[in-house]
Structures are given as structure tokens and as C-alpha cells.
């Protein structure tokens, strides 16, 4: 045993050769050691960061405006039957208002299904651009009814004759108009379905011009 200042050491320890210690291990920069675990922690934190629940899986996070609109839609979702019924009534009222405005302005987006499409629009414009005997039926019917009430045989005979004349004129005008409109539709829309367009136009011709819906968009004599 060899005794020293620092204490006792096993025998032979002093005679063992000492291996040189690399200076780089002793004096190497601590900055590199500190950066490495920091970068690893940052990657772990990024990987563990919770994904936006509103973002679809495998897609980027939506913009703030999109996220806000989605939150509003979720907030306005009815939670019970009473709120759902109230929401349906409100949606129906708004749809009717839009439809009423479309009937006045001719906006194709909110027109009823029977009035939508270029074929129906052309049929409406074709009827509105000309005079139709059927549109004067109501005024003539009022005049004929007044004449038939008068207790004068000659006037009642005239009223009956007027009835026959008006009905014959309406039938002839409807047949002629339907034939011409069918021909125009075949020329204008050869590849489209024009079924029901002629009947739609003839029913419109029975109404007075100012009472027609959708409102006329062309003037009389104007070519559609």
C-alpha cells in the first residue's frame, strides 16, 4: 500500500501509465450540447401539437374566416324540435320572399320550377310580345254577362252570339299560336326538352298582361 496526501491507494497504482485525455472532450462547446436536445424537444412538441378539430384529416388548417363561418353554423344549429320547426318556418318565409321578388323581376335563380329554364323563358316572352284574344276574355265576359242580364230578347240574343264568337276566336287563336310556338321552339331549342312549353304558354295567354307572373320582360311587338 502506498500512502499519499489524499489517502491510501492500492499498491502499483502509481506505476500504472496514465492515458492522455482528449482536450476536445474537456473543453468542447456546451452550446452544441444544449442545442441538440432543444431541437429534439421542439420536434416532439410539434409532433404532439393537437390538430385543429375543424381541419379535415390530411388537409391544411382552414382559414380564420372559414373556421368562424363553421362555428356560426354550428352555433345556429337547432338543438330541439321547437327550434327546428321555427328554423324551418323562417327558411320557408325567406324562400317565399325570394320567390315573390323573382316573379316580379324575372330572376331565374329563385323562380318556381315550372317557370325555370330557357325554354319556359322563351315561351313567356313569345306570348308577351304579341296580342292574344284569350287575354281579353275576362273583360268581354263581364260585358256579355251584363248584356245577358238585360231583359230584352234582342240584347240577350246578341249576348249569346258574342259568347259563341269569343269562344271560337279564342280556340282558333290558341291553335294558331300553339302551332307557331311549337315550330319556333323546335328551331330555337332543337336539342332541349320542350315538352309542356306550348301548354304553359297557352295558359299564360289566358291571363291579362298586367296580372301575369312572372312579370312580362318584353314589350308588345318586340321579338323574343
Amino acid at each position: 500500500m502506498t500512502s499519499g496526501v489524499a489517502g491510501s491507494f492500492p499498491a502499483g497504482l502509481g506505476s500504472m501509465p496514465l492515458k492522455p485525455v482528449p482536450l476536445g472532450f474537456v473543453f468542447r462547446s456546451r452550446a452544441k450540447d444544449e442545442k441538440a436536445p432543444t431541437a429534439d424537444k421542439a420536434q416532439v412538441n410539434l409532433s404532439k401539437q393537437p390538430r385543429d378539430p375543424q381541419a379535415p384529416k390530411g388537409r391544411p388548417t382552414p382559414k380564420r374566416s372559414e373556421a368562424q363561418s363553421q362555428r356560426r353554423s354550428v352555433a345556429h344549429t337547432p338543438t330541439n324540435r321547437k327550434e327546428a320547426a321555427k328554423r324551418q318556418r323562417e327558411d320557408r318565409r325567406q324562400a317565399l320572399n325570394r320567390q315573390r321578388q323573382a316573379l316580379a323581376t324575372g330572376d331565374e335563380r329563385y323562380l318556381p320550377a315550372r317557370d325555370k329554364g330557357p325554354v319556359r323563358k322563351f315561351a313567356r316572352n313569345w306570348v308577351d310580345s304579341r296580342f292574344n284574344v284569350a287575354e281579353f276574355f275576362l273583360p268581354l265576359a263581364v260585358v256579355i254577362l251584363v248584356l245577358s242580364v238585360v231583359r230584352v230578347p234582342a240584347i240577350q240574343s246578341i249576348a249569346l252570339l258574342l259568347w259563341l264568337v269569343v269562344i271560337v276566336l279564342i280556340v282558333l287563336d290558341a291553335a294558331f299560336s300553339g302551332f307557331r310556338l311549337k315550330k319556333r321552339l323546335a328551331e330555337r331549342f332543337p336539342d332541349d326538352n320542350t315538352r309542356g312549353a306550348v301548354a304553359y304558354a297557352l295558359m299564360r295567354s289566358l291571363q291579362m298582361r298586367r296580372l301575369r307572373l312572372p312579370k312580362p320582360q318584353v314589350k308588345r311587338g318586340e321579338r323574343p
Side-chain angles (χ1 to χ4, degrees), residues 98-144:
R98 289 194 297 265
Q99 188 179 103
R100 192 178 301 109
Q101 294 177 0
L103 290 173
T105 60
D107 191 349
E108 287 282 338
R109 294 175 300 172
Y110 304 113
L111 285 176
R114 65 182 178 85
D115 298 316
K116 283 186 176 180
V119 175
R120 297 300 174 96
K121 183 178 181 179
F122 179 83
R124 290 196 304 270
N125 292 340
W126 191 87
V127 170
D128 297 336
S129 64
R130 61 191 299 272
F131 286 94
N132 303 277
V133 179
E135 66 181 293
F136 302 105
F137 173 76
L138 288 179
L140 290 174
V142 173
V143 173
I144 293 173

Side-chain angles (χ1 to χ4, degrees), residues 33-77:
D33 297 339
E34 293 176 355
K35 287 180 180 179
T38 304
D40 295 340
K41 290 180 180 179
Q43 293 179 357
V44 172
N45 291 336
L46 288 176
S47 62
K48 292 183 178 181
Q49 184 178 2
R51 183 176 59 87
D52 190 342
Q54 295 179 353
K57 188 175 182 180
R59 297 182 182 179
T61 304
K63 297 180 180 179
R64 180 178 297 180
S65 58
E66 297 177 356
Q68 290 177 354
S69 63
Q70 291 177 359
R71 284 195 294 268
R72 283 195 216 100
S73 62
V74 172
H76 290 292
T77 303

Side-chain angles (χ1 to χ4, degrees), residues 58-223:
R59 297 182 182 179
T61 304
K63 297 180 180 179
R64 180 178 297 180
S65 58
E66 297 177 356
Q68 290 177 354
S69 63
Q70 291 177 359
R71 284 195 294 268
R72 283 195 216 100
S73 62
V74 172
H76 290 292
T77 303
T79 57
N80 52 44
R81 184 177 298 179
K82 185 177 180 180
E83 291 182 1
K86 184 179 179 181
R87 181 71 176 272
Q88 289 179 358
R89 288 194 300 268
E90 183 67 19
D91 293 343
R92 192 181 302 112
R93 186 182 64 82
Q94 293 179 0
L96 290 176
N97 288 336
R98 289 194 297 265
Q99 188 179 103
R100 192 178 301 109
Q101 294 177 0
L103 290 173
T105 60
D107 191 349
E108 287 282 338
R109 294 175 300 172
Y110 304 113
L111 285 176
R114 65 182 178 85
D115 298 316
K116 283 186 176 180
V119 175
R120 297 300 174 96
K121 183 178 181 179
F122 179 83
R124 290 196 304 270
N125 292 340
W126 191 87
V127 170
D128 297 336
S129 64
R130 61 191 299 272
F131 286 94
N132 303 277
V133 179
E135 66 181 293
F136 302 105
F137 173 76
L138 288 179
L140 290 174
V142 173
V143 173
I144 293 173
L145 286 176
V146 171
L147 292 177
S148 62
V149 172
V150 179
R151 295 186 178 182
V152 177
I155 296 179
Q156 290 181 348
S157 300
I158 293 174
L160 181 59
L161 182 62
L162 286 175
W163 269 120
L164 295 177
V165 171
V166 169
I167 291 175
V168 170
L169 289 176
I170 290 176
V171 171
L172 292 177
D173 183 65
F176 181 70
S177 298
F179 176 77
R180 288 187 59 192
L181 178 58
K182 187 175 182 179
K183 184 178 179 180
R184 290 292 304 276
L185 288 173
E187 295 174 355
R188 189 73 173 269
F189 307 97
D191 300 328
D192 294 341
N193 183 15
T194 60
R195 183 178 181 181
V198 175
Y200 170 78
L202 293 179
M203 290 298 297
R204 184 176 177 86
S205 67
L206 292 173
Q207 302 171 346
M208 298 179 66
R209 182 182 173 86
R210 66 179 60 185
L211 300 179
R212 292 172 183 172
L213 291 175
K215 294 289 185 181
Q217 303 295 318
V218 296
K219 298 180 180 179
R220 293 189 189 273
E222 184 177 352
R223 188 173 182 179

